[in-house]
Amino acid sequence: MYNDMNCQKTKVCLILTLCIFYSCNNTSPKKDLKEDPSTDLHQQKQTEYALVIHGGAGTILKENMTNELENEYKAKLDEALSIGENILKAGGTSLDAVVSVIMIMEDSPLFNAGKGAVFTNEGANAMDASIMRGNDLEAGAVGGISNIKNPITAAQAVLEKSEHVFMVGKGAEAFAASVGLETVDPKYFYTERRWNSLQKILEKEKSLGYNTTDLPDSKFGTVGVVALDKKGNIVAGTSTGGMTNKKYDRIGDSPVIGAGTYANNNTCGVSCTGHGEYFIRYAVAHDVSAMMEYKGISLEEASHLIINKKLKEAGGSGGLIALDKYGNISMPFNTPGMYRGFVTDKERYIGIYGN
Amino acid sequence: MYNDMNCQKTKVCLILTLCIFYSCNNTSPKKDLKEDPSTDLHQQKQTEYALVIHGGAGTILKENMTNELENEYKAKLDEALSIGENILKAGGTSLDAVVSVIMIMEDSPLFNAGKGAVFTNEGANAMDASIMRGNDLEAGAVGGISNIKNPITAAQAVLEKSEHVFMVGKGAEAFAASVGLETVDPKYFYTERRWNSLQKILEKEKSLGYNTTDLPDSKFGTVGVVALDKKGNIVAGTSTGGMTNKKYDRIGDSPVIGAGTYANNNTCGVSCTGHGEYFIRYAVAHDVSAMMEYKGISLEEASHLIINKKLKEAGGSGGLIALDKYGNISMPFNTPGMYRGFVTDKERYIGIYGN
């Protein structure tokens, strides 16, 4: 009897131990998964390399799109993915892949970056770009530049060839020229489509009697790329023409490290697109990384939480692309559509609209 | 004997239970404290209001300071604290307190902000400032402005009177003038002391044959204020003249929301000072907030972790001031000194050197 009772006690005690152990583990389940990758597929390397791209989020609706234009977008996204994939497959760096892919998108008038950038209130093009390297957290960014053919190369030069991280305006242009980047006449960035958008918005302003950027997509349009190379290095980059009719040398989130762009080999790489002011105030790109690192949640959870909960509740529209060190990919957006795509050694995807 | 063994087993089991329970709690001790504020003084409101200020971190050493200059700094820090305290004590807002205190510091030639700003390579003054409000995460920032008497008022105007968060250069100046802020001839910002610093560094450059900012304190000097008002609202603001001899319209961390400045009523308010490039790359101000929110650690732990571990290991020098919603205050720096002080309804402190 006494023995039985003791036995009983021992059992109760063991069960109690297991219960407490289990409940303790349960408060931070992801941490344990992280330490033991075998328990979750998403915590294992999925692919040798990965590349994810976006060409802007906004009111992109099937009914407003011609088949021809849709095919143009798809073909350009496909071309961009292939260029990046070839670099990564051949063992190239994620930095090379990101810069090369963004250049292709900047050179296309389809996207609001480089050739195709929207016009400011003064009828000029003022572009922003940034890039960040996840292995050493080095970064480069430029804001409000008008005569460098590929703004992303200016951001890369700030990262690689200067002691600074962020330069703007004439100074950034002088630096870019001093390191031999290709300069162009600012007229190079003229496209009829974007010029007409500005005229339309200026007319609306005249009738309203006040400054507005309140036309579909006048706030949006950015290109961004995140890549994971075979060595496990993550790089993220973003380039934009900003907001149609922008005034006062406004800077959006794209050149702001932590807002529009962030990369850290231990967590993820992120490039954002959307209503830039919200992305700055919520430090969106860094927030994804911070939630993964400190809360121990997955890339998917973290990126959806910020885009579909925090930003959505605050009224901030847009989206982001991101990948983690395992090659998991996330592309959430709270707008009707986002030009997007990704490629890994196993999969290839291109999308425009939401569900 | 058998009974003894069972008894022994029961004891071991109970000890094991307690050990596991303790070690589980130990992995996230602050989370539990947070849920039960009564268990930790630091998780209770300490004070009706609080204000913390800095006037820059750097190689500030007792042996390089005259008594007279030291007293001047102390008197100005004291004056600044009193102005903020009077506003908060009378039930004023943390926004008012932050702007008023920063204006006093900008008007003083002692600090590298406003009157007293350092010179760029071109012999001009180009100032940056930002402010963020913790209740709604609204923010305003300006970069590279030269003719607004108090740059912090330009940041405040961007927050309150524009749909944007960040403006730079001539555009930011035009906006500030359009809302009626006091403009001055850029010569207003001339001070002999800062002009001589530039000449000294330009001479060094000539002999070295390359661009340098490598003179003590040429990288540092900023002012910042964080306040908690009686309503529990936190506001953080930062203002700076940047880096002596800066080129290429370099932007540091001060106007970068998430880097030099961040505020969130749920966590803390932060203003940074130091080698700006590191503070941008590590998204320092947002990181303090993120560690508190996601790791559940205290303001003290989070701010020391970033300044004395992450940044120090990366080679980034500087410091920060911060306060949380309970009125706890933290002022870590990894440089020899930081001009700093705080005031609450119970305490008042002014400091210059480290230990």
Side-chain angles (χ1 to χ4, degrees), chain B residues 143-165:
Chain B
I145 61 171
S146 301
N147 71 351
I148 304 301
K149 186 172 178 241
N150 289 106
I152 193 66
T153 60
Q156 180 189 13
V158 173
L159 185 160
E160 292 180 334
K161 297 175 180 169
S162 90
E163 59 179 341
H164 298 317
V165 165

Side-chain angles (χ1 to χ4, degrees), chain B residues 310-332:
Chain B
K310 288 190 198 183
L311 281 190
K312 206 173 177 182
E313 282 171 8
S317 27
L320 64 80
I321 53 163
L323 56 74
D324 67 13
K325 59 181 169 180
Y326 305 109
N328 295 306
I329 283 166
S330 185
M331 306 182 293

Side-chain angles (χ1 to χ4, degrees), chain B residues 177-323:
Chain B
S178 80
V179 296
L181 295 187
E182 188 178 353
T183 57
V184 290
D185 186 303
K187 282 178 196 150
Y188 162 80
F189 297 104
Y190 174 90
T191 56
E192 203 184 339
R193 175 185 168 204
R194 303 301 190 183
W195 182 254
N196 291 342
S197 295
L198 175 65
Q199 301 318 310
K200 210 168 139 190
I201 212 166
L202 288 177
E203 272 165 37
K204 192 179 174 189
E205 249 186 38
K206 225 184 257 175
S207 69
L208 286 169
Y210 59 82
N211 182 229
T212 181
T213 50
D214 192 24
L215 279 186
D217 292 331
S218 70
K219 288 191 192 69
F220 305 120
T222 309
V223 306
V225 178
V226 189
L228 169 73
D229 62 27
K230 287 184 176 178
K231 289 191 173 157
N233 286 323
I234 298 172
V235 168
T238 311
S239 178
T240 188
M243 204 180 251
T244 304
N245 195 33
K246 70 180 172 189
K247 281 183 181 172
Y248 304 128
D249 296 337
R250 173 255 189 189
I251 299 274
D253 63 315
S254 300
V256 176
I257 297 297
T261 303
Y262 207 75
N264 184 332
N265 275 8
N266 294 324
T267 50
C268 61
V270 182
S271 169
C272 302
T273 168
H275 194 158
E277 279 68 17
Y278 287 87
F279 284 74
I280 295 177
R281 291 166 47 210
Y282 284 80
V284 171
H286 182 259
D287 202 39
V288 175
S289 171
M291 283 192 275
M292 289 178 68
E293 185 174 352
Y294 306 137
K295 286 181 92 165
I297 62 175
S298 71
L299 177 80
E300 186 73 9
E301 283 175 274
S303 56
H304 276 276
L305 197 56
I306 182 77
I307 294 294
N308 292 317
K309 194 168 155 60
K310 288 190 198 183
L311 281 190
K312 206 173 177 182
E313 282 171 8
S317 27
L320 64 80
I321 53 163
L323 56 74

Side-chain angles (χ1 to χ4, degrees), chain A residues 17 19-28, chain B residues 17-29 32:
Chain A
T17 306
C19 282
I20 290 168
F21 188 72
Y22 177 77
S23 77
C24 283
N25 268 350
N26 226 22
T27 58
S28 56
Chain B
T17 305
L18 287 167
C19 282
I20 290 168
F21 186 72
Y22 178 78
S23 77
C24 283
N25 268 350
N26 227 23
T27 58
S28 57
D32 299 311

Side-chain angles (χ1 to χ4, degrees), chain A residues 108-341:
Chain A
S108 163
L110 289 170
F111 307 105
N112 175 20
K115 177 87 184 167
V118 298
F119 285 89
T120 67
N121 179 265
E122 294 84 16
N125 305 101
M127 288 154 283
D128 309 329
S130 68
I131 192 160
M132 186 161 185
R133 202 159 61 185
N135 63 325
D136 57 7
L137 305 188
E138 285 286 353
V142 291
I145 62 171
S146 302
N147 71 350
I148 304 301
K149 187 173 177 240
N150 289 104
I152 193 66
T153 60
Q156 181 189 14
V158 172
L159 186 160
E160 291 180 333
K161 295 175 181 169
S162 89
E163 60 178 341
H164 299 317
V165 164
F166 195 6
M167 299 177 187
V168 295
K170 297 288 161 217
E173 290 174 357
F175 169 75
S178 80
V179 296
L181 295 188
E182 188 177 354
T183 57
V184 290
D185 187 302
K187 282 180 197 150
Y188 161 81
F189 296 104
Y190 174 91
T191 57
E192 205 185 337
R193 175 184 169 206
R194 303 299 190 185
W195 182 254
N196 291 342
S197 294
L198 176 66
Q199 301 317 310
K200 211 167 138 191
I201 213 167
L202 289 177
E203 273 164 36
K204 193 179 174 188
E205 249 185 36
K206 228 184 252 174
S207 68
L208 286 170
Y210 58 83
N211 182 229
T212 182
T213 50
D214 191 24
L215 279 187
D217 292 332
S218 69
K219 288 191 193 68
F220 305 120
T222 310
V223 306
V225 179
V226 189
L228 169 73
D229 62 27
K230 288 184 176 177
K231 290 192 171 154
N233 286 323
I234 298 173
V235 169
T238 310
S239 178
T240 188
M243 206 180 251
T244 305
N245 195 34
K246 72 181 171 189
K247 282 184 180 172
Y248 304 128
D249 296 338
R250 173 255 190 190
I251 299 276
D253 63 314
S254 300
V256 176
I257 296 300
T261 303
Y262 207 74
N264 183 332
N265 275 8
N266 294 324
T267 51
C268 61
V270 182
S271 168
C272 302
T273 167
H275 194 158
E277 278 70 15
Y278 287 87
F279 284 74
I280 295 176
R281 291 166 45 209
Y282 284 80
V284 171
H286 181 259
D287 202 39
V288 175
S289 170
M291 283 192 276
M292 291 177 68
E293 185 174 351
Y294 306 137
K295 283 180 92 165
I297 63 176
S298 71
L299 177 80
E300 187 73 6
E301 285 175 272
S303 56
H304 276 276
L305 197 56
I306 182 78
I307 293 295
N308 292 316
K309 194 168 155 58
K310 288 190 198 183
L311 280 190
K312 206 173 178 184
E313 284 172 5
S317 27
L320 64 79
I321 53 162
L323 56 73
D324 67 13
K325 59 180 169 179
Y326 304 109
N328 295 306
I329 283 166
S330 185
M331 306 182 293
F333 52 97
N334 61 30
T335 48
M338 178 167 83
Y339 301 107
R340 63 200 185 276

